[in-house]
Every structure is written in structure tokens, then in C-alpha cells.
Amino acid sequence: MVNITNVDLLTLATSIPYANQLQAVANASTNYISFLSYNNSFVTDILGPNVSQSLVAHTDWVAFHEAGVYNIETGKLYATSNWAGSFSNPINVTAIDIHNNNAISSIRYNHLAEANGGAAFYPVGSPANSSAGQQIVFCDEGDLTNPAQLVLVNPATNQSRVLLNSFLGKNFTSINDVEQHYHTGDLWFTDVPYGYWQYFRPAPVIRYQVYRFEPNTGVVQAVADGFDAPNGIEFSPDFKHVYVTDTGVHTFPNKDNFTNPATIYRFDITEDGKRLHNRQVFAYSDNGFPDGIHTDTMGNVYSGCGDGVHVWNPEGVLLGKIAVANGGVNNFAFVPDGMYIFNAQNLFKVTLKAQGRTVQRDFGLQATAQTTTAQQTTAQQTTAQQATTQRPQPSGTQWRPWA
């Protein structure tokens, strides 16, 4: 049983009290999720007929903040905790055993001081449909002694190494989020002074920008600037666009300026996959700011905001909200049957019809599907041969999706 509220847009356009009523629905409880539908496609295409929600874990610390990357070999989803205000209690990686009753554990890796965003990493040159060599690249915000950097981690062996910690010798401010381009293998990441704004990094000495890094050559380029606080980054499923969130509304603690950006920008990627052009305002969040950002296979855009996960279609029209009280959502992670939502001390799961852009590769489902197709083809050929000799037809092999 879920609570879906259909929003009357014409009433919302002319009634602030009605907007307050919708906000009350979003803030109704800290123990469950509500759904606000601004467009019929939110119910039919995003949620689907089997939508459900549940609170699957609660911790005494802010364990569920950023990242959210699955590793096939360990069978775990890796998030990062939030800065707790003390160097004696640094940011940890939170491992969620999604195949074992969502058991929670905290991990520290060498070379990773203050982890934040992360993404699955595959060897450069790998086919886009291959999950071989999967590891995780984490954004390390750094601290007063450790540089901000990109760190590659193999969670199956606990081995780690630094991929990048400077722009031609100048350290970054506080690397926040990262994604790997499937076709070029390049890492695209954002650099923003949240470590400085939270008093665990030195004052910035470099612009707040978006970068592209070639792990095999060492080439690093600034590809976009002009932000107050470039934060989340994501590709469209066809890799024609990059989405970047600007969370400039939120800087130093208790000094939010609501006239600053809480905005998602969309850029076109050049044909060679190396540069950006045609910057556009894609969407503006009406509550809090858009932090972590992801797309689904249909090109819809999702971002963690002040009252939950907001969902826009590829044209930037708000379709709906997966509403979460108690501070909203910093980030979330798509899984094969839905989404895990990071709500500070709470971890929620919702089942959805929509599938995240990276799910097939990150969960190894492409290889499974290809193997199944090959098995089915072989079975069909065998059946045809046996039919000519009037032998009994064998049963085929059926692929069971991840559960």
C-alpha cells in the first residue's frame, strides 16, 4: 500500500495554501515515503503497477549520504557517510549488503580520507556492454592534510590507488561527484568547496569547475565553469548530454541564500565526447537544492532535493516526487527492481518500473542477457535439428533477473 497524491497543476499555479498542503503530504512521516504525481506518466512509466516503499535500515549516525555504487563481486552497494564535524571521526564508506537483509557495515580504505561521490569504473577501452574489471572510483574531498583526489577502489580486495589529485600541479578544492563515459572511458567530475564550507579543507585556490580526465593518458581539462557550486553530474543514456547540478543556495552552515542557484544545467557533448557546448537551464528545484543526479533508460532525470527525489522528463518538466521527510535526499542508487534512497540516518527502498541508466552494466545484467540469448539460440537450433529426427523437444533455459 502506497500513498500517491495527484497534483492539480492549475490549482497549484494559483494557490499557495494548496502548495502548503502538498508539502504537508511530503513531510507527513519520517518512516515512510509518499509519492506526488505532477503528470500521469509518473504513475504509469516511473512508478508502475507494482510500486512499493519500505524503510530498510536506520543507523545512529549519518551513514547514507552520497555515492551509491554496486559491486558485482561483493554483492554490496557502497554509499558514503556525511562529515561529522571531527577529524577523529572521518567520513566512512557504508557497505549495504542488499542480498543479505540490507546488513550495514562501515569501511575505511587506504588513500581515501573523506569520501563523497562515486561511480562504477571499468578499464578504459572496455565495451560498453561489458562489466569485466569493475571497480569503484570515489571522490575524496580531502582534509587539512590530505589532498582532494579521485581514488580507485577494488572492494573485493580492499586495494586502492590514487588516480588524480591535481590540475597540472594545483590541487582541487573538494572533489564532489564523478561519472565515467562508457565509450571514451574518461572520468567527468565536479569540484566545489564544500570541504572548505564545512571547515575541513583549506581556502580554495582554483575555480569551481567541471573537469574531464583521461585515466590512461593523464590528460585533464576544465570543460565547464560559471557555477556557484557545481555538485552532481550525470550523462543522458545516449551520452549526448551532461547534466550538472548547481547547489550554490547552500554554502556555509546556516547561511543559505535562496536567491542563489538550486539549478540543473544541461550541456551538449561534442561528437568526439571531449568537450561541452550549448549550456541550458534544465530545471530548478522548488525545495532545497538538487544534489545527487541520475537518469533512467528513457532519459528522465532524477535528483535528490529538499523533500525527496524529484523526477523530470527529458524536456525538464516535473513529473513527480518520491517524497521523503526529515531533510530530504542527498543521493540515491538505482537497482534492478527500483531504488535505494539515502536520507541521512534512514535508508529507504522503493520498487519502480523505471530502470536506471547504469543498472544493466553495473549489475552485470547485460552479460547475463547476452548469455541467455546465446543459450536460447542454441536451444532453438537444437530443437530444430531434433524436430527433423522426431525426437522430443527439450525444455529451454530461462533467465531470471536480479532479485
Side-chain angles (χ1 to χ4, degrees):
M1 185 71 180
V2 297
N3 175 23
I4 302 176
T5 299
N6 293 309
V7 176
D8 184 330
L9 291 179
L10 288 176
T11 300
L12 181 59
T14 57
S15 174
I16 292 177
Y18 179 62
N20 293 335
Q21 292 174 20
L22 295 176
Q23 197 57 53
V25 172
N27 293 331
S29 174
T30 61
N31 296 321
Y32 64 84
I33 286 176
S34 299
F35 301 90
L36 299 176
S37 175
Y38 291 71
N39 186 289
N40 288 337
S41 65
F42 181 69
V43 175
T44 59
D45 300 332
I46 306 300
L47 302 184
N50 300 313
V51 61
S52 65
Q53 63 82 34
S54 60
L55 175 64
V56 298
H58 175 83
T59 59
D60 294 331
W61 72 101
V62 182
F64 313 110
H65 180 61
E66 287 283 8
V69 187
Y70 182 76
N71 182 260
I72 296 170
E73 193 167 353
T74 65
K76 296 178 180 180
L77 186 69
Y78 295 85
T80 56
S81 65
N82 200 1
W83 171 249
S86 171
F87 291 105
S88 62
N89 183 21
I91 295 173
N92 292 310
V93 174
T94 304
I96 307 162
D97 192 342
I98 63 175
H99 303 293
N100 183 27
N101 199 33
N102 298 301
I104 305 299
S105 59
S106 290
I107 306 172
R108 297 284 299 169
Y109 294 108
N110 290 333
H111 309 111
L112 191 58
E114 307 292 351
N116 198 67
F121 178 89
Y122 301 93
V124 176
S126 299
N129 61 359
S130 171
S131 303
Q134 183 193 55
Q135 299 184 69
I136 299 176
V137 56
F138 281 107
C139 300
D140 186 346
E141 295 184 278
D143 53 31
L144 296 178
T145 57
N146 295 289
Q149 53 195 5
L150 293 176
V151 178
L152 187 64
V153 172
N154 185 337
T157 64
N158 291 328
Q159 293 179 319
S160 61
R161 64 183 177 93
V162 175
L163 292 177
L164 176 72
N165 64 14
S166 79
F167 177 76
L168 307 177
K170 180 177 288 188
N171 187 223
F172 300 102
T173 298
S174 191
I175 297 178
N176 190 278
D177 198 13
V178 62
E179 284 293 338
Q180 185 179 32
H181 193 294
Y182 276 11
H183 306 297
T184 66
D186 297 344
L187 295 174
W188 294 62
F189 64 95
T190 58
D191 186 38
V192 62
Y194 277 110
Y196 171 66
W197 288 333
Q198 292 178 289
Y199 308 111
F200 64 86
R201 279 288 287 160
V205 295
I206 194 170
R207 285 180 68 85
Y208 316 150
Q209 301 179 124
V210 178
Y211 294 88
R212 182 187 65 84
F213 173 60
E214 299 178 8
N216 278 14
T217 69
V219 169
V220 58
Q221 289 182 293
V223 293
D225 68 357
F227 303 94
D228 283 26
N231 196 317
I233 187 167
E234 170 64 316
F235 293 106
S236 63
D238 59 8
F239 288 90
K240 291 183 178 180
H241 309 288
V242 162
Y243 297 93
V244 179
T245 71
D246 189 337
T247 54
V249 64
H250 179 63
T251 57
F252 288 100
N254 303 314
K255 293 185 179 181
D256 288 359
N257 183 339
F258 297 108
T259 64
N260 282 348
T263 306
I264 301 173
Y265 296 96
R266 181 171 64 190
F267 299 81
D268 294 338
I269 305 175
T270 55
E271 290 186 6
D272 62 1
K274 302 294 185 182
R275 308 293 296 179
L276 299 178
H277 64 105
N278 193 22
R279 172 179 173 141
Q280 306 169 56
V281 172
F282 174 77
Y284 176 76
S285 173
D286 67 290
N287 192 297
F289 48 86
D291 195 345
I293 184 169
H294 303 281
T295 58
D296 67 20
T297 56
M298 298 180 291
N300 298 308
V301 179
Y302 303 63
S303 189
C305 298
D307 56 354
V309 179
H310 294 192
V311 185
W312 296 268
N313 69 11
E315 289 72 45
V317 175
L318 182 65
L319 300 181
K321 297 182 180 182
I322 303 172
V324 183
N326 192 32
V329 175
N330 285 104
N331 216 329
F332 52 97
F334 277 105
V335 294
D337 61 347
M339 175 189 294
Y340 280 86
I341 295 176
F342 305 154
N343 175 231
Q345 294 175 264
N346 291 331
L347 178 67
F348 291 92
K349 185 182 179 185
V350 296
T351 57
L352 302 171
K353 177 182 177 182
Q355 185 176 84
R357 173 185 68 84
T358 64
V359 164
Q360 287 287 313
R361 190 179 195 187
D362 289 356
F363 284 79
L365 300 182
Q366 294 178 122
T368 303
Q370 290 170 350
T371 299
T372 301
T373 300
Q375 291 172 339
Q376 291 172 341
T377 300
T378 301
Q380 291 169 356
Q381 292 171 344
T382 301
T383 299
Q385 292 170 354
Q386 291 173 338
T388 61
T389 59
Q390 297 183 345
R391 293 179 180 177
Q393 180 176 339
S395 59
T397 301
Q398 183 178 10
W399 169 54
R400 293 185 64 194
W402 179 93

